[in-house]
């Protein structure tokens, strides 16, 4: 009985963890390109779900068309956010910019509340909701969608950052911004790219999780913070470390909620965050003296 | 090629450069020398858009380039190397050079991200091209080493290779021989001459007089923010004012 339960909680934890991973990688990409923590990241997750709903219900598009439209709309929102809120203040210190992102997130949330109301909405699952049995546990098709899409995005990300010249240029900015400028890389454009990529990733996370958890104007706060935890566990790496961080967080949270009490679900995430910050601020896998450029 | 026209730079109450003018001829190696605090690095920082001068103008091929940010200058063919080498420390040697070729890539973010066959061949072409610059700098054997682990002298060569990958028309080098041993300095001198022979104009700030006298076609001497002299290495060596500035006057 106990084993079945653990398996069940772990499986559902993995899919929530995958969502945290996607959001966390979004945090890391922006952090590496700009040195700021974009606390508006969670709002793009929310926008992904809400825009899907808009295209689905108000504009009556089929699901397969509503999803790409929602990703595009959220990405445009990310682009505008960088252009209107971050770029004009480029000379500002990181701490000012971080506060701007908090302000931005409150604004986006407020606008979402005004446009869509305070209700919680559901998005239909991508391929039905007949549970699939796996060794005594059951999962939903949507869980599989989440895991598959996460894996694909992580792979595409990896290829982009390590095997294309544009991705290399972005990494170069993260390592040494001054040298990047000197070889003709337009650092400001790379910052814009980083916002585009992470808002797209955030919105995808928001869309694939919405059929399971429902969506509302304020889901971005919690999801954003959990994604931030994942990024911290991963040492703000935009690669596999943050993905593992997200999965770990998801599984621990789910086990804790299932085996101890569901009331502690969110507390577990933040206890992990605090422990990491106290004991290994460089991330679970980071080298102690590693310097982030 | 490059014309410095009446540059003045004031930091607070300190005049770092005062009314400095000189022109760099195409295809030459021009050395900028002077005692510590003469304003050499300040001048370089102005030319490369890191500082904005108090007054005066910098022209590149007749066009005013004052105040342009480094990435715009690089696209116009002006690159620079630093005294304390600036590499992408967590990337391999080859990747550093590939990033230098970034401006030559026509592949946008979307097609790169989607990995269209065309962008794959682009990446392949750039990878091949990078080898050429590694060969030129003589560091092909280090291609897959993480650049942060390179010894200083090799790092310098990599920085030069990366700058060349931008395909510049003019290259500014800030104390390229600093921190190099005499053998490395000798090799560096040859490399800089080869760069010139490729048709790239070179301007360098350098303290190693032997190197400067050996490779430079023209020399500009700065002292206390002013231009003291300008001429061929021989003229400079015989210039009494220059000797006085370096060795101190007798009285």
């Amino acid at each position: 009985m106990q084993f079945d339960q653990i398996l069940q909680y772990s499986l559902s934890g993995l899919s929530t963890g995958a969502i945290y991973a996607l959001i966390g990688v979004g945090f890391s990409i922006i952090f590496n390109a700009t040195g700021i923590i974009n606390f508006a990241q969670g709002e793009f997750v929310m926008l992904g779900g809400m825009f899907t709903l808009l295209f689905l219900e108000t504009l009556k598009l089929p699901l397969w068309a509503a999803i790409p439209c929602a990703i595009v709309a959220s990405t445009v929102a990310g682009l505008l956010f960088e252009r209107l809120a971050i770029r004009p203040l480029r000379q500002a210190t990181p701490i000012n910019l971080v506060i701007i992102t908090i302000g931005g997130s409150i604004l986006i949330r407020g606008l979402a509340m005004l446009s869509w109301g305070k209700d919680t909405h559901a998005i239909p699952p991508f391929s039905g909701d007949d549970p699939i049995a796996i060794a005594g546990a059951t999962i939903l098709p949507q869980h599989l969608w989440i895991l598959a899409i996460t894996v694909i995005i992580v792979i595409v990300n990896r290829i982009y950052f390590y095997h294309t010249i544009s991705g290399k240029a972005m990494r170069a900015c993260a390592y040494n911004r001054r040298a990047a400028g000197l070889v003709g890389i337009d650092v400001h454009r790379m910052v814009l790219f980083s916002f585009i990529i992470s808002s797209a990733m955030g919105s995808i996370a928001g869309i694939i999780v919405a059929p399971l958890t429902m969506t509302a104007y304020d889901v971005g706060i919690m999801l954003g913070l959990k994604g931030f935890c994942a990024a911290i566990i991963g040492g703000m790496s935009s690669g596999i470390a943050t993905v593992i961080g997200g999965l770990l967080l998801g599984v621990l949270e789910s086990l804790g909620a299932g085996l101890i009490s569901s009331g502690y679900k969110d507390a577990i995430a933040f206890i992990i965050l605090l422990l990491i910050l106290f004991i290994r601020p460089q991330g679970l896998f980071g080298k102690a003296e590693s310097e982030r450029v | 090629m490059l014309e410095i026209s009446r540059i003045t730079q004031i930091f607070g109450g300190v005049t770092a450069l005062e009314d400095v003018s000189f022109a760099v001829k195409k295809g030459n190696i021009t050395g900028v020398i002077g005692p510590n605090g003469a304003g050499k690095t300040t001048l370089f920082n102005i030319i490369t858009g890191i500082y904005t001068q108090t007054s005066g103008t910098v022209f590149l091929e007749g066009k005013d380039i004052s105040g342009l940010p480094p990435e715009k200058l690089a696209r116009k063919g002006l690159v620079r190397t630093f005294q304390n080498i600036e590499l992408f420390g967590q990337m391999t040697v080859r990747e550093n050079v590939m990033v230098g070729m970034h401006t030559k890539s026509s592949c946008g973010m979307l097609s790169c991200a989607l990995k269209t066959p065309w962008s794959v061949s682009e990446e392949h072409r750039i990878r091949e091209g990078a080898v050429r610059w590694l060969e030129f700098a003589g560091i092909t054997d280090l291609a897959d080493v993480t650049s942060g682990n390179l010894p200083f002298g090799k790092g310098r060569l990599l920085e030069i290779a990366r700058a060349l990958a931008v395909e510049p028309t003019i290259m500014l080098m800030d104390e390229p021989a600093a921190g190099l041993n005499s053998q490395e300095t000798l090799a560096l001198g040859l490399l800089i001459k080869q760069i010139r022979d490729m048709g790239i104009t070179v301007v360098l700030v350098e303290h190693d007089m032997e190197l400067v006298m050996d490779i430079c076609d023209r020399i500009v001497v700065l002292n206390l923010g002013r231009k003291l002299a300008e001429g061929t290495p021989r003229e400079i060596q015989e210039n009494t004012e220059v000797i006085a500035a370096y060795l101190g006057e007798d009285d």
Side-chain angles (χ1 to χ4, degrees), chain A residues 104-222:
Chain A
S105 83
I106 295 172
L107 177 72
I108 295 172
R109 205 180 310 140
L111 289 175
M113 188 186 81
L114 288 175
S115 347
W116 291 301
K118 288 185 173 180
D119 298 337
T120 302
H121 304 272
I123 288 176
F126 298 176
S127 52
D129 43 11
D130 302 327
I132 302 164
I134 296 178
T138 54
I139 56 170
L140 295 171
Q142 192 65 26
H143 286 128
L144 295 179
W145 276 105
I146 290 176
L147 291 172
I149 290 173
T150 303
V151 168
I152 291 170
I153 289 178
V154 168
I155 291 173
V156 168
N157 240 339
R158 173 84 195 177
I159 292 173
Y160 174 66
F161 279 110
Y162 284 83
H163 299 283
T164 72
I165 200 73
S166 163
K168 282 193 171 77
M170 252 178 98
R171 273 166 63 217
C173 276
Y175 298 147
N176 189 335
R177 211 189 269 226
R178 183 147 76 142
L182 284 164
V183 294
I185 296 172
D186 188 340
V187 177
H188 303 144
R189 223 174 97 194
M190 292 298 152
V191 169
L192 180 65
F193 280 4
S194 73
F195 271 84
I196 290 176
I197 296 175
S198 49
S199 53
M201 286 180 60
S203 69
I204 293 173
I207 293 167
I208 57 182
V209 78
L212 287 181
T213 58
M214 318 269 261
T215 186
Y217 78 100
D218 60 353
V219 295
I221 309 175
M222 218 24 128

Side-chain angles (χ1 to χ4, degrees), chain A residues 84-121:
Chain A
L84 300 178
I86 302 295
R87 186 169 293 213
L89 279 135
R90 209 180 301 112
Q91 299 304 325
T93 59
I95 191 73
N96 290 348
L97 287 167
V98 169
I99 291 168
I100 294 271
T101 68
I102 296 176
S105 83
I106 295 172
L107 177 72
I108 295 172
R109 205 180 310 140
L111 289 175
M113 188 186 81
L114 288 175
S115 347
W116 291 301
K118 288 185 173 180
D119 298 337
T120 302
H121 304 272

Side-chain angles (χ1 to χ4, degrees), chain A residues 261-285:
Chain A
S261 156
S262 60
Y264 291 125
K265 182 169 163 276
D266 293 333
I268 288 167
F270 297 116
I271 289 169
I272 295 172
L273 175 67
L274 289 176
L275 285 178
I276 291 283
L277 287 176
F278 286 147
I279 302 164
R280 289 190 67 85
Q282 72 276 21
L284 212 49
F285 314 99

Side-chain angles (χ1 to χ4, degrees), chain A residues 12 52 169 180 203 231 242 255-256 275:
Chain A
S12 57
T52 306
S203 69
T242 294
L255 286 175
L275 285 178

Side-chain angles (χ1 to χ4, degrees), chain A residues 156 159-173 175-190 193 196-197 291-293, chain B residues 48 50 70-71 74-75 78-80 82 86-91 95 98-103 105 107-109 112-113 115 119 122-123 126-127 162-163 166:
Chain A
V156 168
I159 292 173
Y160 174 66
F161 279 110
Y162 284 83
H163 299 283
T164 72
I165 200 73
S166 163
K168 282 193 171 77
M170 252 178 98
R171 273 166 63 217
C173 276
Y175 298 147
N176 189 335
R177 211 189 269 226
R178 183 147 76 142
L182 284 164
V183 294
I185 296 172
D186 188 340
V187 177
H188 303 144
R189 223 174 97 194
M190 292 298 152
F193 280 4
I196 290 176
I197 296 175
E291 182 196 359
R292 281 242 150 253
V293 201
Chain B
T48 51
I50 293 173
E71 73 269 11
R75 282 160 197 265
L78 184 147
V79 295
R80 154 180 200 176
F82 279 91
E86 304 259 2
L87 297 170
F88 306 122
Q90 291 156 69
M91 291 176 137
E95 281 181 318
M98 289 176 73
V99 168
M101 301 172 77
H102 163 269
T103 47
S105 155
C107 162
M109 185 184 71
C112 276
K115 208 56 181 150
S119 80
E122 177 92 10
E123 155 94 1
I126 286 175
R127 184 170 285 271
R162 190 185 62 194
V166 181

